[in-house]
Amino acid sequence: MRILFYAQGGNPEPWLAGLREVLPHARVQLWEEGKLEPADYAVVWKPPAQMLQGHNELKAIFNLGAGVDALLQLGDALPPVPIVRLDDAGMALQMAEYVTYAVLRYFRRFDQFELQAQRGEWKFMKPYSREDFTVGILGLGML
């Protein structure tokens, strides 16, 4: 099995080491611009078009995140193979926690209190009413 790896903006070494550990019989290699070595699978995050272009031998592309927008934007450079994305890997819980934090921070006006503290001001701010506080949710997806 031959695996081609690319992850934009990150350190590839932990990924490469992990893949090699769990797949000891596979040849796992980092994609290098200008090289068109055959591969059975591509493991990617936001790959450049030239990485996948011409790789018609691929059996599947594994995306390292839930969002596949960057792959779909490659158009004709994207080989006609299945795309497998991370379904969760703990991201849903982390995102739910972050959203809870962000809503509570805004509702309790922590950002405004921080600004006041930076300026050495201590002015009363009327709290928001729960009854008048609306939270909108757009697109739940896997969350």
Side-chain angles (χ1 to χ4, degrees):
M1 178 180 2
R2 300 162 301 178
I3 300 172
L4 191 57
F5 181 88
Y6 177 87
Q8 179 188 56
N11 178 6
E13 291 309 318
W15 285 100
L16 295 171
L19 287 167
R20 289 174 180 141
E21 183 179 335
V22 297
L23 300 167
H25 301 297
R27 189 184 72 181
V28 181
Q29 64 185 59
L30 185 63
W31 175 75
E32 296 177 40
E33 190 170 357
K35 279 192 172 181
L36 183 62
E37 293 193 29
D40 299 305
Y41 302 97
V43 178
V44 301
W45 178 248
K46 297 184 178 180
Q50 59 267 34
M51 181 206 171
L52 297 173
Q53 215 161 22
H55 275 291
N56 296 325
E57 79 285 0
L58 287 175
K59 297 175 185 172
I61 298 170
F62 291 84
N63 195 55
L64 293 175
V68 295
D69 299 3
L71 282 176
L72 298 179
Q73 291 174 0
L74 297 178
D76 292 339
L78 189 62
V81 298
I83 296 173
V84 181
R85 65 180 181 82
L86 291 182
D87 215 8
D88 185 62
M91 290 184 288
L93 178 59
Q94 290 175 4
M95 186 56 68
E97 290 171 346
Y98 174 78
V99 169
T100 302
Y101 154 79
V103 169
L104 188 59
R105 177 177 170 81
Y106 183 82
F107 177 71
R108 293 289 186 185
R109 300 181 128 178
F110 290 151
D111 54 339
Q112 294 173 328
F113 284 119
E114 279 181 20
L115 288 173
Q116 279 192 20
Q118 289 171 4
R119 294 188 296 242
E121 299 173 355
W122 304 103
K123 298 178 183 174
F124 174 77
M125 284 185 279
K126 184 178 179 188
Y128 292 124
S129 163
R130 274 187 227 98
E131 293 78 20
D132 298 330
F133 191 81
T134 302
V135 175
I137 300 173
L138 303 173
L140 290 173
M142 288 300 298
L143 300 180

